[in-house]
Amino acid sequence: MGDLLLVRHGETEWSRSGQHTSFTDLPLTPNGEEQAKSLAPLLAGRSFALVLTSPLGRAVRTAELAGLTGTVRDADLHEWYYGAYEGVTTEEIHRTRPDWDLWTDGGPPGPDGEPGESPEEVGERADRVLSRVTEALPEGDVLLVAHGHFLRVLTARRLGLPPSEGRLFRLETGTVSRLSTEHGRPVIAEWNTRA
């Protein structure tokens, strides 16, 4: 049975500033490109049964710079849809909604039909990804290259927790994390590893 490796894409301008970024497809900053390149030694020498990336450019570019080949884009790995809060920081949201919490309230629909998602909706996408991962793990390690909030929800779901418990797993840009098993149960084996 293989391990599940998670790569959060490298830094973008909005990940650096704390702005919620789902469908806005920002490029990596120069620092983000360096972060992505620094992942190559952590992943070198491993063979993967499956490598999936978010369809967004920041994840695809991170995979390329990390030296990954044979990647498959998977729409379910898209970042949480923040809707009306796209491009807005939590601090700015709290000025008008002081009790707002992404992990319980989700993102409200935005203008022009931009969707917002609840934690449960993100959890449903994560569960679909985990179904595909589970099929591939008997063949070896699986690698996902995606986004901070989505990968945190996916981690919660892999560990048998509700989607909202993704709040417990802070995930930095340009890092590798590894979910494994111990005595047949999913566990966190590494978190936020950098070269």
Side-chain angles (χ1 to χ4, degrees), residues 52-149:
L52 300 176
T53 70
S54 160
L56 295 172
R58 56 193 181 268
V60 171
R61 183 69 175 145
T62 296
E64 290 169 356
L65 292 172
L68 298 169
T69 59
T71 61
V72 176
R73 296 179 192 191
D74 186 328
D76 279 334
L77 285 170
H78 196 286
E79 179 60 295
W80 192 316
Y81 284 97
Y82 302 118
Y85 294 153
E86 180 77 6
V88 182
T89 67
T90 299
E91 181 180 290
E92 291 168 330
I93 297 165
H94 284 167
R95 289 182 193 143
T96 56
R97 286 187 66 189
D99 295 331
W100 177 81
D101 184 336
L102 177 66
W103 299 102
T104 54
D105 302 324
D112 302 323
E114 295 163 358
E117 281 184 305
S118 69
E120 294 75 23
E121 289 169 321
V122 180
E124 289 171 10
R125 287 196 288 117
D127 288 346
R128 288 196 299 267
V129 172
L130 288 170
S131 290
R132 290 189 283 283
V133 164
T134 301
E135 290 176 13
L137 282 173
E139 304 301 318
D141 292 342
V142 173
L143 177 67
L144 306 178
V145 183
H147 312 275
H149 283 134

Side-chain angles (χ1 to χ4, degrees), residues 109-188:
D112 302 323
E114 295 163 358
E117 281 184 305
S118 69
E120 294 75 23
E121 289 169 321
V122 180
E124 289 171 10
R125 287 196 288 117
D127 288 346
R128 288 196 299 267
V129 172
L130 288 170
S131 290
R132 290 189 283 283
V133 164
T134 301
E135 290 176 13
L137 282 173
E139 304 301 318
D141 292 342
V142 173
L143 177 67
L144 306 178
V145 183
H147 312 275
H149 283 134
F150 178 81
L151 289 174
R152 291 167 68 178
V153 170
L154 183 132
T155 297
R157 298 301 300 138
R158 178 70 176 154
L159 298 175
L161 301 170
S164 61
E165 294 306 300
R167 66 187 170 83
L168 300 173
F169 310 110
R170 181 178 173 144
L171 191 57
E172 303 295 334
T173 57
T175 57
V176 177
S177 299
R178 183 168 58 94
L179 304 179
S180 190
T181 57
E182 182 179 61
H183 307 298
R185 291 185 299 269
V187 295
I188 296 174

